[in-house]
């Protein structure tokens, strides 16, 4: 029979090629999704690390400020860091080691 019909062999070849291309696009899509996900996770980790460093630095600055205004106060203190929107970013603890007799160096 001749006509507009393709043979079963040609239709099977087209099906196989379609499955190969769909499989390739699926593999590429999964790889790109993994890359985007990993990049996002890394950026979140870097932001959290920067926030933690900023909170630690704020604790050190608070300790220096407190010693500058009350030189004999060596009590430990805990403070919460608030973000501008009213949430808590974290907290810091300041622990002071009083200077040895005759010394002026305080360890924070």
């Amino acid at each position: 029979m001749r006509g507009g019909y393709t043979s079963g062999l040609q239709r099977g070849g087209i099906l196989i090629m379609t499955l190969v291309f769909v499989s390739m696009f699926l593999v590429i899509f999964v790889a790109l999704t993994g890359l985007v996900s990993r990049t996002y996770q890394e950026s979140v980790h870097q932001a959290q690390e920067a926030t933690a460093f900023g909170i630690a630095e704020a604790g050190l600055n608070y300790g220096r400020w407190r010693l500058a205004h009350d030189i004999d106060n060596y009590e430990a203190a805990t403070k919460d860091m608030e973000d501008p929107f009213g949430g808590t970013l974290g907290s810091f603890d300041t622990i002071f080691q009083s200077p040895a007799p005759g010394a002026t160096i305080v360890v924070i």
Side-chain angles (χ1 to χ4, degrees), residues 18-32:
T18 303
L19 288 174
V20 167
F21 282 119
V22 168
S23 298
M24 287 174 35
F25 287 124
L26 184 63
V27 167
I28 291 171
F29 177 74
V30 168
L32 286 176

Side-chain angles (χ1 to χ4, degrees), residues 9-49:
L9 182 60
Q10 288 176 340
R11 281 187 279 161
I14 292 172
L15 179 63
I16 290 174
M17 291 301 293
T18 303
L19 288 174
V20 167
F21 282 119
V22 168
S23 298
M24 287 174 35
F25 287 124
L26 184 63
V27 167
I28 291 171
F29 177 74
V30 168
L32 286 176
T33 302
L35 178 66
V36 168
S37 174
R38 181 65 185 151
T39 302
Y40 174 75
Q41 289 174 354
E42 184 66 28
S43 66
V44 167
H45 183 269
Q46 286 178 351
Q48 290 173 342
E49 195 173 72

Side-chain angles (χ1 to χ4, degrees), residues 54-86:
I55 292 170
E57 190 174 24
L60 181 60
N61 288 338
Y62 170 74
R64 292 174 63 195
W65 174 85
R66 199 174 85 177
L67 285 175
H69 290 84
D70 189 5
I71 197 164
D72 294 324
N73 186 1
Y74 302 120
E75 295 178 14
T78 300
K79 295 237 181 235
D80 290 332
M81 293 293 298
E82 305 287 332
D83 69 357
F85 303 109

